[in-house]
Each structure stands twice: as C-alpha cells, then as structure tokens.
Amino acid sequence: MDTPEHRRQYTERIERAAEEQREGLRDFSDRSRPAEERQSALRRAVALRGQDEVAEAVDVILDREEDPTLRASALRAIGIEVGKSHDLIDMVIGLLRDGDEPEMVRQAALRTLQQSSFRAATFNPKMPEYTDALRTVIDDPEDSLREQALEILAQGKDEYAQRRLLESLEDPSQALVSPGKAVQLLGNDIHADYYPLLRDMVQDPPSTEAKQEAVRLLAADPASKELLVDILRDKNEYREVRNASAAALQSLAPAEFQEHAKQIILDDGEYNDLRATAIDGLALFADQEALSQDTELSSRVEQLKEQPPSDEVERSAARYISMRASGETGPAAAGTNV
Amino acid sequence: MLANRPLDKDTPEETIAELVDAVGRSPERRDLLVRLLPERLSLYEGRSTNETTRIRGYILAAFEQTGLPDAALPYVLEELENGRDAYLVAGAAKALRGLDSPTSRITHFLLKAVENVKYVDDALTFETYKPRWPIKDHTTALREIFRTFGWLGTRARSALPDLEALCKERSDEFSQPIRAEIENAIDRIRSDGGTAHVCCGAVSANRGLEIYAPREEQRDGGGIADIELEDQDRNTLTYGGFFRDKPSIVVFFYTRCNNPNKCSLTVTKLARLQEAVADERLVGLLKTAAITYDPEYDLPARLKAYGESRGVAFSDDDRIFRTRTGFRELQEYFQLGVNFSGSIVSRHRIELFVLDGRGEIVVTFARLQWDIQEVLEQAKALL
C-alpha cells in the first residue's frame, strides 16, 4: 500500500472515531433517551476530555434524579480529567463522603479517586481531604466500601486505620473486617504494634487463614523466634501454617532455621511440601560453608533426589545439588533492607 | 494532682493527655511537659510508634497555650527539621507560637518542615486526644506551619522570597486553602511594622542541636568493654576490643527506620564523613562505626547491604555493628534517645558520639542534623 493511500485510510478512521465520539456524547447528553441508551452511548464515547464534555458529565454525575449506573459511568468517563483538577477532586471526594448517595456512585468515586491519586503532582495537595474522607468511610455500613477504604489507608500506614483495626481485633463487636483481613492490613507497617496480638492470635486463632497470616507477619518480630520454632516443629500443626513458619523463621533467624530445616529433611515422616521448603531454604539462604561440611545432610538430599517421595521434593533436591555443585549460593542471610 | 502521679509505661495514654490538658489550664506548670519529652523515659517503654507519636504531638501542641520553654525547643526544632509525621510536625509548628521571644532564626526550620511534610500532609486535630472520625474543621501540618509564619510577622521577613515562590512558581504544589494560608502569612509579614530581631531570644542561644560533654558516670567506658559486637562480615569482637587506641566517631541507626531524614541519612552522612576523613589524610588515625538499635533483626547481611547501598566503606577501622550481648548496657552508657515496643524501635532521635582512644564519650551530637566538618573537628582535637 502506498503512503498517501495509507494516510487517507488512517485519516478516515480517525474522523470516523471522532464522529462516533460526538454521536456518543450527543446521545449521552440527550436526557429524553432511556438511561440504558445513554449508558451505551457513553461507552461509545469512551473518555470525556473536552471542557464541555466534562461539564456535561458533571451535570449528570451531580444530578440525583439521574440513573445511578449512568452517573457512575459518567464519573468513570471523566476519570482522567479528575486527576488534573482540584475542583473535580473536591467534587468526587464529596460524593464518596455522602452516605445518601447510591453505593454504585460512591464506589465509582472511590475508584476514580484512587486512580487519580497516582497523579501525585495534582493529587498530593488534596491528600488530607481524601484521607479525611476515607477515615469517615471506614465506618460505612457498606462492607465493600469500608474494606476498600481501610485497605487504602492501611497501605499508607495510617494511624487512625491501624488504631481501629487493632480495636476490632481486641473487641470483635467493633470488627470492621474479618480478623484475617485485619491482620493482613496491619501487616503493612511493622510499627503498627500488632505483634502481641498476633502472638495471642497464633495461640487461639479465629481461623486457619488468620493464623497463617499472623505467622507470616511474625517474620519481622524477633521476640517471636521461639514461637515460630515451636510451630515449625509441631507435627500436629496445619502444613500451611508450618510452611509459613518455616519461611518466617528463615527470614528472622537463619541459623535457627538451618538447624530445624535439616531435621525436617532428615525426617522421613515429614510432609513432602515442608521438606521441599526446607531444602529450598537451605539451598538459597543457608551458610554455605557449614552446609559443605554437613555430609549427613548432603547424602540425604542426594538420596531424596534418587528416590524422591514426591515431585516437589525431587525438584528441590535437584536444585540444591545443582547449586552446590556450581558454587552458586543465595545471600548468606535473609532479605536485606536497602 | 495528676501531675504528682509518677508517669510510666503503665500509665494509660488518656491519663497523660489529661495531664497535658491540665497543664494547658495552668501554664506555670509547663516544665512538667518538658520533662515528658526525652525518648528514653520509661513513660515510652513498650508503647507503639503510634501511641508515642500521639503523646508527643499532643504535648508539643500544648506549648502554644502554655508558652514554649527554652528546654523544649530542641524537641520542637528536631521535629521541624527531620519529622515526617504530619501530627508531630503540626504540633511542633503550633509549639513555636508559644515562644516568648520569637526570632527570624526559626524560619529556616519552618521552611525545612514545608518540604518534609509536603507529600505526607494529613488531616488532623488537636481539639481532642485520639479523635474519632468524622471530625469537624481539621487542620493540617502545612496549615499550622504557614500560620506560624504569619504569627512571626516581620520576624519572618527573611523567608518572604521563599514564601512568595511557594505562592507563585510552586502554587500548584498546594491546595487552595493552603495557598490562602501562605498568602495570609505573606500579608501579615509585610504589614507587621515591628523590627526583626535576629540576635536575641531563645533560639539564638539554643539552636536545637544538642552538643554536650558526657556526665561523669558516662566517662568510664570500662563497664561496657566486654559487650560483644558482631560486624557486617560476621566478625565478633568486644566493645573494648574495637573502640580503643584511636578516637572514634559512632552513630546509631536501624535498618527498619522509615524516616529518610533519620537513619538512612545518618548512615549516608557517615559515608561522607569517611570521605572527609580520607580527604584530610586521617585514614588510620580515626575509626568510624554505626551500631544498630535493632540487633535481633539487623543481622550482618542486612547491616552490610544497608551500609553498602549508602556508600559506607568497610575496613578494620570502619564497621557497622550489632550487639550480640549487652545492648541494654550500651543503651544506658550512651544514654541513647530510643525506646521500644517489644523488639521494635518505636521512637529515636538522631545521635552521634565522638569517643576517645579508650572508647569513652567525649562529645555527643544529638537531635538536629550534625555537620560533618564540625564532627571531624571534634575528633581531630583528640589526635
């Protein structure tokens, strides 16, 4: 195809798209049409970016007589523009705050704000107002809104969200989310002071999921070293929890992990997934000098490769042997803070 | 009555807040609040970072009402210079409005605070302790900082070019209410007919950086000589084995610190200090060290990666340590400005020590950012 022809076709396509956009906007703005048709027209228009288009969308968004689905769609359609304007951010924050607005509109508001928050240059100055609104929403009767708001705040290590999550773990009658979720959210910040609660939760867990999450987070708490060792050694414990404990101990206390990992590898009565975790942990993170002198361990890993009790153990044993042979080693200890 | 009760780690934070409120009603007792500020107090033992922040921010803000004593000024300036928590920075900005003799010197700290909290500003209130949302009429750290500029009036005249730049070239970095606050501050500074004093008042005498010689009981390092240290390469030696024969410069830090103006910057500056030592041909005559507050977590590999990524050069005389034994004794000897919740550091100050050839403290630099050349001069004086 010659270049002028290619250019002509391309220009036609652009003009067609622009016309569809104009038609879509016209139909969307035509309030005599049914909401479904306007919704469909809005989809054709894709994103609304011009000043008039945004103004038209704002009229629809703020009009409580309009269909909530259409309002939410209009909000999404101006999402990019919201991130560029403090006035629009204020308007959307107002929608999020307003408990009388339909949930669908507030959900769209929250999503739009969260997306806009990545446009740091414009959004940062509005952060206090946004945070203020989110803190209000964590008491909302709508579960989904409440959980999303908590999640956003917890990721930002928000003091108020952490305080409320701790309260909800201490007193289930004040629970904002499930215990497992609360633990997970608190885990965003090692300074959130949840380790005593986590240790209690491990002793008396509300669910296996919550216990597993708690054990995972205890990886950052040196005071929990003994507890993690106890869990790892407890054959009556759930395998998932023991696996989480192995990973946590490896990060927290590599020397202790090495000792207990070896016992697990040598023990034919152990679960295969746990043995695989132990082999991988040693291959990647253990003191390679000490390992090279441990003939008992080396010959057992060789044996597990030759007569594997499971595919995962075979793979881990092969990786261990290959890394030892090539002299390739992981870091001498667990993850590093840089 | 409240003030006469000993406050310690078991005192509910609400009780401490009541005391702060009570002192607010009786400003003549404001020294009580100053006594609650050192991080190492048992009052903060076992309290979380959040709880510690709430208590300290509430105390700082109360100085607006009670008046700000000289002794509290280092804590206030420390927050403005290094703080990244909006609540503490806002409290510090309010506290300055309690100064009896405000001077232009504090504008530098306020401008630093603007940059520190610009991206972490927050909706907050000092109307109640531990507020529950929704709250009415929140303030923010930036708002409090610019109000303090306005309060300074003509004494903030030297900051006018910076404030005008914030209002014009950098106006998109602020929300409309904050821009209004900046404009208001500029108007108040311009319209204040008073004379700016730069040479008098508390701040000129107390620049916030605590540099001091040790107390007599701190001089004898013999009591900690046997403390076992492990360096970034897993070599073990004793405190007395390393800190001897040559003067040393030692800083404290921990790798999990989330304030970039504190531990991360301290270790980065330690690396620059090592370069200055080399530039002055003092290699082999001085030792440098960093010791972690978090010895159980900061294992050698973590220490090494943290130091390397900040440019620290390692040698026999330059190491990063964790204690294997005796952290408590070390903490006591250095009077470290740190406290913990369980094993997690909840709050600490910036601190650097110059030690003599016997490992004994000669000079302490604490709270504000230390100057590399000033530290080096102190160490050189020991050669």
Side-chain angles (χ1 to χ4, degrees):
Chain A
M1 188 187 301
D2 60 19
T3 305
E5 177 59 12
H6 177 74
R7 189 173 294 162
R8 188 188 61 75
Q9 287 185 11
Y10 193 67
T11 307
E12 273 179 16
R13 278 210 298 276
I14 291 174
E15 282 170 359
R16 210 163 39 241
E19 181 53 32
E20 274 177 24
Q21 171 94 3
R22 279 192 294 275
E23 270 176 22
L25 184 64
R26 201 165 47 235
D27 293 349
F28 162 69
S29 307
D30 183 354
R31 298 188 184 212
S32 65
R33 288 173 179 269
E36 294 77 21
E37 273 184 34
R38 294 171 67 200
Q39 172 94 8
S40 161
L42 193 55
R43 272 197 293 275
R44 288 202 306 276
V46 195
L48 306 181
R49 309 185 81 155
Q51 204 175 347
D52 293 343
E53 296 172 6
V54 172
E56 178 62 33
V58 167
D59 280 348
V60 172
I61 292 164
L62 294 179
D63 186 350
R64 291 195 183 199
E65 302 297 315
E66 290 278 14
D67 180 79
T69 313
L70 186 65
R71 294 174 67 201
S73 298
L75 189 44
R76 281 192 288 274
I78 62 164
I80 293 170
E81 298 308 305
V82 170
K84 298 176 185 170
S85 155
H86 285 184
D87 288 343
L88 288 176
I89 293 170
D90 282 339
M91 178 197 82
V92 183
I93 288 175
L95 292 171
L96 173 62
R97 278 181 188 282
D98 190 344
D100 292 335
E101 287 286 0
E103 190 202 350
M104 190 180 287
V105 173
R106 297 175 73 205
Q107 288 278 8
L110 182 54
R111 264 195 299 277
T112 303
L113 288 167
Q114 194 49 17
Q115 284 162 8
S116 302
S117 70
F118 293 108
R119 293 184 70 102
T122 323
F123 199 86
N124 259 328
K126 302 306 295 180
M127 204 46 120
E129 281 74 22
Y130 181 38
T131 307
D132 186 57
L134 289 171
R135 288 181 187 144
T136 303
V137 170
I138 65 174
D139 282 304
D140 204 86
E142 295 292 345
D143 291 351
S144 168
L145 265 180
R146 194 169 65 231
E147 192 165 316
Q148 288 177 68
L150 267 171
E151 195 152 344
I152 295 165
L153 289 169
Q155 281 168 1
K157 304 182 179 182
D158 183 73
E159 181 271 336
Y160 183 65
Q162 289 177 357
R163 185 175 4 135
R164 296 295 306 278
L165 286 166
L166 285 170
E167 283 172 8
S168 76
L169 284 172
E170 281 161 359
D171 177 4
S173 72
Q174 296 191 42
L176 298 169
V177 287
S178 72
K181 186 71 184 173
V183 168
Q184 190 188 63
L185 294 179
L186 284 166
N188 285 295
D189 184 5
I190 61 143
H191 291 97
D193 197 33
Y194 49 87
Y195 293 118
L197 266 170
L198 293 188
R199 288 193 287 267
D200 289 347
M201 184 179 277
V202 167
Q203 308 289 357
D204 184 18
S207 67
T208 312
E209 178 210 12
K211 183 171 187 176
Q212 193 177 339
E213 196 62 42
V215 167
R216 192 179 65 76
L217 294 177
L218 287 176
D221 177 33
S224 298
K225 204 189 300 181
E226 296 306 317
L227 179 61
L228 292 173
V229 169
D230 289 346
I231 293 169
L232 181 58
R233 293 174 58 175
D234 182 1
K235 287 190 173 180
N236 294 319
E237 183 56 85
Y238 285 103
R239 284 150 62 190
E240 297 84 354
V241 176
R242 289 182 72 199
N243 252 318
S245 171
L249 191 64
Q250 182 277 315
S251 165
L252 187 62
E256 280 85 346
F257 169 76
Q258 199 164 324
E259 182 190 325
H260 294 288
K262 179 182 170 184
Q263 297 312 317
I264 288 168
I265 294 167
L266 296 177
D267 186 349
D268 288 331
E270 272 294 2
Y271 293 111
N272 289 324
D273 55 348
L274 198 60
R275 292 178 97 183
T277 300
I279 296 170
D280 286 341
L282 291 186
L284 290 166
F285 300 110
D287 178 346
Q288 300 302 316
E289 200 179 315
L291 278 192
S292 64
Q293 289 164 10
D294 194 334
T295 50
E296 183 188 23
L297 180 66
S298 298
S299 57
R300 179 54 68 91
V301 177
E302 289 278 358
Q303 185 194 348
L304 287 171
K305 180 176 174 282
E306 297 309 319
Q307 298 161 357
S310 75
D311 289 348
E312 56 194 330
V313 171
E314 182 181 15
R315 275 195 300 274
S316 295
R319 193 179 308 130
Y320 178 96
I321 292 163
S322 145
M323 286 180 75
R324 301 281 315 126
S326 67
E328 184 188 342
T329 59
T336 50
N337 293 19
V338 292
Chain B
M1 188 122 142
L2 269 168
N4 296 329
R5 288 184 205 159
L7 302 176
D8 60 21
K9 63 188 172 73
D10 297 320
T11 309
E13 57 177 318
E14 287 78 6
T15 305
I16 301 167
E18 283 169 27
L19 167 67
V20 176
D21 291 339
V23 175
R25 292 187 293 272
S26 311
E28 70 281 2
R29 295 158 74 201
R30 65 188 189 179
D31 286 346
L32 276 172
L33 300 185
V34 183
R35 292 206 290 273
L36 300 182
L37 289 174
E39 299 82 351
R40 60 192 309 275
L41 293 179
S42 69
L43 174 72
Y44 296 110
E45 202 179 313
R47 294 190 198 269
S48 68
T49 299
N50 283 342
E51 195 175 345
T52 303
T53 298
R54 285 194 292 266
I55 293 170
R56 296 175 72 81
Y58 202 64
I59 292 172
L60 291 177
F63 287 124
E64 180 184 15
Q65 201 179 342
T66 65
L68 179 63
D70 263 14
L73 196 57
Y75 299 92
V76 171
L77 299 183
E78 171 192 32
E79 282 309 333
L80 296 172
E81 188 190 52
N82 302 308
R84 303 273 296 183
D85 183 282
Y87 188 69
L88 284 168
V89 173
K94 281 170 76 71
L96 284 182
R97 304 204 287 266
L99 273 173
D100 292 334
S101 312
T103 84
S104 62
R105 288 174 193 261
I106 56 177
T107 59
H108 158 77
F109 292 94
L110 289 167
L111 287 170
K112 186 79 171 49
V114 171
E115 301 305 326
N116 282 336
V117 297
K118 202 174 59 187
Y119 297 117
V120 292
D121 203 7
D122 197 1
L124 45 93
T125 179
F126 295 97
E127 294 302 311
T128 54
Y129 190 75
K130 280 175 92 170
R132 303 287 283 200
W133 260 256
I135 57 171
K136 274 189 173 174
D137 302 327
H138 69 250
T139 185
T140 75
L142 283 175
R143 188 170 289 180
E144 294 304 328
I145 291 167
F146 292 120
R147 278 182 188 162
T148 303
F149 271 116
W151 172 84
L152 281 168
T154 192
R155 296 174 192 89
R157 195 167 288 276
S158 62
L160 267 179
D162 292 294
L163 293 174
E164 282 161 354
L166 294 180
C167 229
K168 291 176 186 159
E169 292 95 333
R170 297 174 57 189
S171 67
D172 55 350
E173 294 176 28
F174 303 97
S175 65
Q176 196 282 325
I178 297 297
R179 284 199 298 271
E181 226 31 277
I182 303 173
E183 283 163 9
N184 185 46
I186 291 171
D187 287 346
R188 289 186 64 184
I189 294 166
R190 282 192 183 133
S191 62
D192 184 356
T195 311
H197 295 277
V198 293
C199 59
C200 54
V203 179
S204 59
N206 183 349
R207 60 184 173 132
L209 174 63
E210 295 178 4
I211 305 177
Y212 51 85
R215 295 176 309 176
E216 200 48 46
E217 63 269 27
Q218 277 183 284
R219 282 204 174 274
D220 178 14
I224 58 164
D226 294 334
I227 286 176
E228 209 177 311
L229 303 172
E230 181 175 30
D231 74 9
Q232 72 288 338
D233 291 319
R234 303 166 70 189
N235 301 306
T236 54
L237 58 171
T238 60
Y239 179 90
F242 180 78
F243 293 105
R244 69 172 191 194
D245 301 334
K246 300 170 188 173
S248 308
I249 296 162
V250 56
V251 297
F252 283 81
F253 80 107
Y254 73 117
T255 66
R256 295 196 278 185
C257 178
N258 55 16
N259 182 339
N261 291 337
K262 288 192 171 178
C263 296
S264 183
L265 185 54
T266 292
V267 174
T268 303
K269 284 172 71 182
L270 182 70
R272 290 192 202 141
L273 191 141
Q274 288 178 331
E275 288 168 11
V277 167
D279 289 346
E280 299 211 15
R281 298 175 189 280
L282 297 171
V283 174
L285 300 177
L286 292 174
K287 295 185 180 188
T288 66
I291 303 178
T292 177
Y293 292 122
D294 192 3
E296 293 291 315
Y297 183 81
D298 282 342
L299 300 173
R302 289 193 175 102
L303 297 176
K304 189 167 189 170
Y306 194 83
E308 278 180 342
S309 63
R310 285 159 184 78
V312 171
F314 297 112
S315 73
D316 284 351
D317 283 348
D318 303 287
R319 309 193 196 203
I320 299 187
F321 291 113
R322 73 182 189 113
T323 49
R324 287 176 66 95
T325 62
F327 181 77
R328 284 279 168 193
E329 289 77 7
L330 197 75
Q331 190 181 354
E332 193 55 32
Y333 175 69
F334 282 97
Q335 299 281 295
L336 296 178
V338 63
N339 227 314
F340 300 86
S341 170
S343 57
I344 306 291
V345 175
S346 53
R347 166 84 196 179
H348 73 92
R349 62 178 183 175
I350 293 170
E351 43 200 355
L352 175 148
F353 302 86
V354 178
L355 312 179
D356 64 17
R358 291 171 301 172
E360 294 175 7
I361 302 167
V362 179
V363 184
T364 300
F365 289 77
R367 294 206 186 282
L368 296 191
Q369 294 294 335
W370 40 270
D371 177 74
I372 290 172
Q373 209 50 46
E374 200 172 353
V375 170
L376 200 53
E377 291 306 319
Q378 292 283 352
K380 277 162 68 179
L382 298 173
L383 293 173

